[in-house]
Each structure stands twice: as C-alpha cells, then as structure tokens.
Amino acid sequence: MNDPEASGALFPTSQELAAVMFTDVVSFSSQMHADEAKTLADVKRDMSYMKELAETYNGRVFKRLGDGMLLHFKTAGDAVRCGVAFQQAMVNGFGPEDSPSNLQHRVGIHLGDMYVSESEVMGDSVNIASRLQSIAEPGGICISQTVYEIVKNKLSVKAIHLGQKELKNIAQAIDVYRILVNAVDEEPPVTKPSIRFADRLAQWKSKVDPGFIKHLSRPMKLERLAEQAKEKRLLVTGLALLALLVLGLGIWGMTWGIKSIANQREAAKAETVPTLSRSQVERAISGKTISLGQFLGFTPTGEIKRKAILGLKQKSINPITSNDGKTLYQAQYSMTYQVRGDGRYYSVYLTYNESSYVTKVRITGPHN
C-alpha cells in the first residue's frame, strides 16, 4: 500500500511566490443561533459567487474553512481586484436576482513565499493573510505593505495606512493598509491647520508702530488704558473672526472642487466604457460550446433548435487591466434560456476590449 505522507500528497513541497486571500463571515455564530438554515444558505450563495470571481481573476479556492475560504492567486493585483469586486457585490447585489448578501465578510490579502501543492498551501504568508482578515472591518479588506507597494500605482484603488500592527503568532509587526472598497468610502478629510491666537497676536504686534508700544510704558490715566485695551480686544477679535471666515470659505471651496472633479471623472469614465448590444452577445455565445450544469452542447446547428434566448439583460460592466497593460472590460449578463419548455436562468461573463471584440465567454448556471 502506498504511503500518502511519503509520496508528498499531504505536505506541499513546491515553493512559489503568490498571493493568498482569507475570507470570513462576521458574527457567524450569532447568526447561526438565530436562524441556522437561512445562514447556511446565505454562506453557500456567497461562497459560490466568490468561487466564480476567483476563477475570473486567475485564482482558485484551496479549501473552505467553515464560514471562510482560503484562495490562491498568481498576482497581488488579481487578488485585490477580486476582493474589491466581491465586497462591492455583497452590498450592490449579485446573482440572477441581483440582490445583496445578507452577510458581511472580512477579507485579508498578503503576498509572499509559500509551499503549494494541488490540495494544500502552507507557510508564514498564509498565517499573515489570516491575521489581516481578522483585523479587517465588516465588509472591508486589509492588505499588507508588500501588496500595497505592488498595487498602489497599478490599480485605481485607494488605501489608508493603519500603521504597524502586532499580529498573533507573527514575529515582527507589519504595516497594514485598509482598502477603500467604495469610491465614496470614509477617507479622512483634508483640513488646513488652525491658526493659533498667539500667532495672530504676534502678527498684529509686528504691524503696530514701535513708538506706540514704547508709549504704552509711560504713565497714563486709568481711563485711557482701559479704552486702549478695549480697542485691542476688538481688533484681535475682528482678526480672529476674519481668519475663521477665510478658513471656512477655503474648506468649502476645496470640498466643492474635489466633488466636482470626482463627478467629472466618473462622467468621463462612463462615456468611455463601451457596452455590447444584444446581437453582439448572442453572436459571442453562439460561437462557443457551453456547459449548462449537465453537459449540453450549444452550437448554431445542433442543440440550438431546442433552446432559445428568451431574455438578455446587462447587469454590470467593470474596466480591468490585463497582464500586458491593455484595458479590457468584464461584463455580466443575465439570460433566460428555453430548454425543452423550461425557463432557466444563467449568468454570462464576457471579457472584451475597447473595440467590443469579445476575448472570453463563460456561462454559469442554471440558477434558481
């Protein structure tokens, strides 16, 4: 009898540099206690969608860990893009019903050396990704300094530096970043430093005639001293109010400018993203052999006679960057097929370039 341990089936022996991702459901135990059947169904639905996304971004699921998953990606960029797409879909909706998830997930991503086999992945990098997931916010993503340095100039994502964190069972503290999943996420506001009263008073003194300052040291009547003190207080108060007014107008103008630029960028981005017509999608599908759950060939001359597209609706479109730096677009369509009189729902994923040339077609389903 062969010894699986001796053959290396249980222990990875190939070392490689790769990205690893951990996911976990927030408050899983309490939700199981409240409604076990519903929670398990929600977890299964979310995990199924994450598996589809991982395959889209050149990744794979190594194992499911109860309410979490361990995933492996070839590049840090693919891992981050997949994590952002997953968290956005959990909020904005996905699947045939295009409905959001009832659960919240945490995601941690790290890049490093690890030992990999067909069914297992081990190493310190895996432990770091797991710890990063544990400190992420509900619905959030935490990445390591290594991942951030790679993706900061390549992906259109923003991140906030959370500082160095001591992670459990990790020898040295590492720098952690939080990905801003949504375009209008809570980014720290940029404000100008407040002007100190002492600085304003020093500026005022520098502009006063030195002779007047010297005159103050001479004997004066109490009434004159009180009058001059009142005048100075009014002047300083006026200067302070004017400074606050200028500061407020500056902050308002800067905020308005940032929002205006963001709106212009979003508008320009929407105009440049091409969409596919129904006929383009149908032509792309008809040129492929598709697996619909159980294998059923789908060709222009064969099974097409007893199948027909009843409905085709575009659900989402996202720009992505290919390995050679070119801009591609990942679109998702929801279709209704007529198969022997039965209506089934399928998800179509098409990748195409700026010329609307389809480079990849993938269909999953049927869905309930």
Side-chain angles (χ1 to χ4, degrees):
M1 181 179 295
N2 294 329
D3 184 358
E5 183 174 340
S7 64
L10 298 179
F11 297 95
T13 57
S14 174
Q15 186 177 17
E16 64 178 61
L17 177 66
V20 63
M21 175 194 295
F22 264 90
T23 72
D24 188 63
V25 176
V26 179
S27 303
F28 176 72
S29 298
S30 60
Q31 295 190 68
M32 284 286 288
H33 179 73
D35 192 336
E36 184 174 275
K38 181 178 181 301
T39 301
L40 290 176
D42 290 338
V43 171
K44 181 180 179 181
R45 176 175 180 256
D46 292 359
M47 285 186 172
S48 177
Y49 182 72
M50 170 54 97
K51 182 177 182 296
E52 293 181 7
L53 278 180
E55 293 172 355
T56 302
Y57 291 100
N58 303 311
R60 57 171 172 158
V61 177
F62 261 111
K63 62 174 61 176
R64 297 185 177 184
L65 308 169
D67 59 318
M69 303 178 75
L70 169 61
L71 302 99
H72 169 272
F73 294 84
K74 294 182 179 180
T75 68
D78 286 339
V80 172
R81 278 190 287 262
C82 180
V84 171
F86 174 70
Q87 293 292 37
Q88 289 177 340
M90 293 300 100
V91 176
N92 300 327
F94 64 98
E97 299 82 13
D98 201 18
S99 59
S101 173
N102 296 315
L103 306 172
Q104 286 184 305
H105 301 258
R106 294 187 178 93
V107 173
I109 303 172
H110 181 58
L111 177 75
D113 287 326
M114 58 193 71
Y115 294 91
V116 181
S117 71
E118 287 298 319
S119 60
E120 189 61 274
V121 57
M122 296 180 181
D124 205 34
S125 298
V126 179
N127 297 331
I128 291 176
S130 174
R131 302 308 179 197
L132 290 172
Q133 169 272 126
S134 67
I135 63 176
E137 296 180 351
I141 304 171
C142 278
I143 63 175
S144 63
Q145 174 82 34
T146 306
V147 175
Y148 175 74
E149 291 298 332
I150 293 175
V151 305
K152 66 179 181 180
N153 296 323
K154 295 182 179 180
L155 305 182
S156 57
V157 296
K158 296 182 179 179
I160 297 177
H161 185 213
L162 302 181
Q164 287 195 336
K165 299 292 184 180
E166 296 283 348
L167 303 180
K168 184 178 179 181
N169 296 330
I170 304 300
Q172 295 181 342
I174 67 170
D175 286 277
V176 179
Y177 290 80
R178 176 169 71 91
I179 295 290
L180 301 182
V181 176
N182 298 309
V184 290
D185 205 342
E186 307 82 21
E187 188 171 3
V190 179
T191 57
K192 295 181 179 180
S194 59
I195 302 175
R196 298 192 327 170
F197 172 77
D199 295 336
R200 282 296 183 190
L201 185 59
Q203 294 176 7
W204 174 78
K205 286 183 177 180
S206 65
K207 297 178 180 180
V208 177
D209 184 4
F212 175 74
I213 299 296
K214 183 178 180 182
H215 180 70
L216 291 178
S217 62
R218 299 176 183 177
M220 293 184 178
K221 294 182 180 181
L222 293 178
E223 293 81 358
R224 181 56 181 166
L225 289 173
E227 183 180 349
Q228 291 179 345
K230 182 179 179 180
E231 291 175 354
K232 287 190 290 183
R233 286 196 300 270
L234 291 175
L235 177 60
V236 172
T237 302
L239 290 173
L241 292 175
L242 179 61
L244 290 175
L245 177 61
V246 171
L247 181 61
L249 290 175
I251 294 175
W252 176 83
M254 182 172 58
T255 304
W256 181 86
I258 292 175
K259 289 183 178 180
S260 177
I261 292 173
N263 292 336
Q264 292 175 2
R265 288 180 177 176
E266 288 299 322
K269 178 180 176 182
E271 292 176 357
T272 58
V273 175
T275 58
L276 298 182
S277 65
R278 174 167 176 162
S279 62
Q280 286 176 303
V281 175
E282 290 177 347
R283 286 198 301 271
I285 294 172
S286 65
K288 301 290 180 181
T289 297
I290 299 165
S291 174
L292 307 177
Q294 297 179 350
F295 181 79
L296 293 174
F298 183 86
T299 65
T301 59
E303 295 288 337
I304 187 65
K305 294 181 180 179
R306 53 194 180 91
K307 298 188 183 71
I309 299 176
L310 300 183
L312 181 64
K313 176 184 177 183
Q314 181 174 304
K315 299 174 64 179
S316 65
I317 180 169
N318 298 299
I320 61 176
T321 303
S322 61
N323 293 333
D324 56 1
K326 296 182 179 179
T327 300
L328 299 176
Y329 302 92
Q330 177 71 40
Q332 181 182 4
Y333 291 81
S334 177
M335 296 194 305
T336 305
Y337 273 94
Q338 184 72 35
V339 181
R340 295 192 180 94
D342 183 19
R344 300 292 182 91
Y345 293 93
Y346 298 87
S347 296
V348 184
Y349 297 88
L350 300 103
T351 302
Y352 57 96
N353 56 24
E354 294 179 351
S355 301
S356 299
Y357 177 77
V358 177
T359 60
K360 182 179 180 181
V361 177
R362 183 169 63 87
I363 294 184
T364 61
H367 307 294
N368 294 326

